[in-house]
Amino acid sequence: MAGTTALIRLILRRDRVWLPLWLLMVAGFAYATVATIETLLPTLESRRQYAEQIAANPAVLLMQGPAYELSVGAIAAQQRAAATMIFAALGSVLFLVRHTRSDEQAGRRELLGAAPVGRHAPLTAALTVVLAANAVLAVLMAALLTAAGVPAAGSLAWGLVAGCGGALATGMAAVAVQLTRGARPAAVGTLTLFFALYLVRGVSELTGAAWLGWLVPTGWLLRARPYAGERWWVFAAAALVAAGLVALAYRLAERRDLGAGLLPDRAGPATAAAWLRTPPALAWRMQRGGWSPGSPPPCCSGWCWGSAGRRRSSGSAGAPAWRCGRPGWAPPAPRRSSTGW
C-alpha cells in the first residue's frame, strides 16, 4: 500500500519514547517478579505452602489462576503472567487507537489523505508497528527471564503469553475503531471486553468448570503452563484468532467513510431534566461516558487484590516465605516505655 513505510516511520518517530518505555516496563516487571520469588520463597517447602494458600483463596484463583508446579519460574508465572498479558493488551490498544481513530478525530488522517497514501495505509502502519512491538516484547521477556536463571523454554512461553495477548487486543481494537466514531469508546470498549474475557477464565477456575476457560482466547494463553510442561499449540490458536480479527477490521474499513463508524449514533432526549442544571450534574454528564464503562475492571481488580492480600497476610504469618527472606528471622520483642506502653 502506498505510503505505508513512511507512516511506519512517522509512528516510530512519534512514539520513540513511550513505545520502548512500555516494552521495558512490562519485561522488567516479569524479571523483577522472578528475583522476588527467589528471595521470598527460596525453598521448595516455602513454595509448597504458598501454592496451598493460593489454592484456597478464591480471589487469587480469579485473578491469577493456580500454580502448576513449585519451581521458581512456575510460581513467578502464576503470580504475574496474567498481569503481563493485561499490560501488553493495555499498551497495544492505546497505541493502535492513537494512530487510527484519534488521528481521524484530530483531522490528521484527512491531511494524510491529501498525499499519495493508500486508503488502508494508516491502519496497516499502525498494525505493523503494534504487532511488531508485541513480538519484540515476547523476545525481550524471554531474554530477561532466561538471564534471571529460569529455564529458557518456560521464559519463551511466558513472553508469548504477553505477546499473543497484546496481539489479540490489537485485533480487537482494530475492529473497534471501525465500529465507533470516537477514540475513547473504541479504547474503553476494547479493554472492557478483553477484561471480561479474562474474567471468564477466572470464573472457570473458581467453579471448577475447566471447559469454560477454553472458550475464550485469554483462557488458552493463561493455560499455556510456562515452566510446567508448556502447551505451545495455544499460541498458534491465539495467533489465528488475532489474524481473523485483523482481516475483519480490513473488511469493515472498506464499508465506512472517513471519520464515521459503522455503528449509528444514538439520538439524545429532546429536553434535559431539571437536575442537569447544576455544576456537579454537568461534570457527571461530561465524564460519564469514560467513567461508567471503564470503572468496573479496576474496581474489580482492586477488590480481588485487596481480598487476596488480606487472606494471604492472615494465613501466612508463620510461613518462611514471609520472614523477610532471611533464615532465622523473627520479629523484634516489644519495647515498653517509661509510661508502660
Side-chain angles (χ1 to χ4, degrees):
M1 299 179 185
T4 301
T5 303
L7 291 179
I8 291 176
R9 292 199 300 265
L10 176 62
I11 292 174
L12 294 176
R13 171 73 176 175
R14 292 174 61 188
D15 290 333
R16 62 187 181 276
V17 174
W18 290 110
L19 192 61
L21 183 62
W22 165 56
L23 298 177
L24 290 174
M25 287 180 63
V26 177
F29 180 65
Y31 177 86
T33 300
V34 173
T36 302
I37 295 299
E38 290 178 341
T39 302
L40 294 181
L41 303 173
T43 64
L44 181 62
E45 182 60 28
S46 63
R47 293 193 291 272
R48 188 187 309 277
Q49 292 180 9
Y50 170 80
E52 292 174 354
Q53 292 163 11
I54 63 174
N57 192 326
V60 175
L61 289 178
L62 177 66
M63 301 303 297
Q64 296 178 345
Y68 295 106
E69 277 194 7
L70 299 179
S71 64
V72 172
I75 296 296
Q78 179 274 328
Q79 283 196 356
R80 297 294 180 260
T84 53
M85 183 185 70
I86 291 177
F87 293 156
L90 175 63
S92 299
V93 171
L94 294 180
F95 281 118
L96 186 91
V97 173
R98 165 181 164 86
H99 295 293
T100 52
R101 180 56 70 176
S102 292
D103 282 352
E104 289 191 29
Q105 279 190 288
R108 287 186 290 267
R109 176 66 180 86
E110 189 173 2
L111 292 176
L112 291 174
V117 175
R119 178 178 181 181
H120 298 310
L123 177 60
T124 302
L127 285 170
T128 301
V129 171
V130 178
L131 291 176
N134 280 287
V136 171
L137 175 62
V139 174
L140 181 60
M141 286 184 59
L144 287 180
L145 290 170
T146 303
V150 291
S155 301
L156 178 59
W158 189 351
L160 288 175
V161 169
C164 290
L168 284 171
T170 301
M172 294 166 60
V175 173
V177 297
Q178 314 306 324
L179 298 177
T180 63
R181 289 189 60 186
R184 184 171 63 180
V188 172
T190 302
L191 292 175
T192 302
L193 177 59
F194 189 90
F195 193 80
L197 296 177
Y198 165 73
L199 288 182
V200 169
R201 192 276 321 160
V203 172
S204 72
E205 300 291 351
L206 289 178
T207 60
W211 60 270
L212 185 61
W214 291 109
L215 297 180
V216 293
T218 53
W220 310 343
L221 295 175
L222 294 179
R223 291 176 176 175
R225 300 171 64 101
Y227 311 103
E230 294 80 7
R231 292 170 171 161
W232 300 105
W233 64 268
V234 301
F235 304 120
L240 288 176
V241 173
L245 290 171
V246 170
L248 177 61
Y250 278 106
R251 292 293 299 273
L252 296 177
E254 296 175 353
R255 305 183 60 179
R256 72 175 184 90
D257 295 329
L258 180 64
L262 293 178
L263 295 179
D265 293 335
R266 186 178 61 179
T271 58
W275 64 273
L276 288 175
R277 300 173 183 173
T278 62
L282 176 62
W284 160 253
R285 182 73 178 180
M286 296 178 63
Q287 301 298 327
R288 68 173 186 173
W291 186 89
S292 299
S295 57
C299 290
C300 181
S301 298
W303 176 83
C304 291
W305 287 119
S307 176
R310 184 171 60 253
R311 287 172 175 263
R312 189 176 300 174
S313 61
S314 62
S316 58
W322 306 104
R323 294 175 182 169
C324 295
R326 300 194 299 267
W329 180 88
R335 295 165 52 182
R336 186 181 298 271
S337 66
S338 59
T339 59
W341 295 95

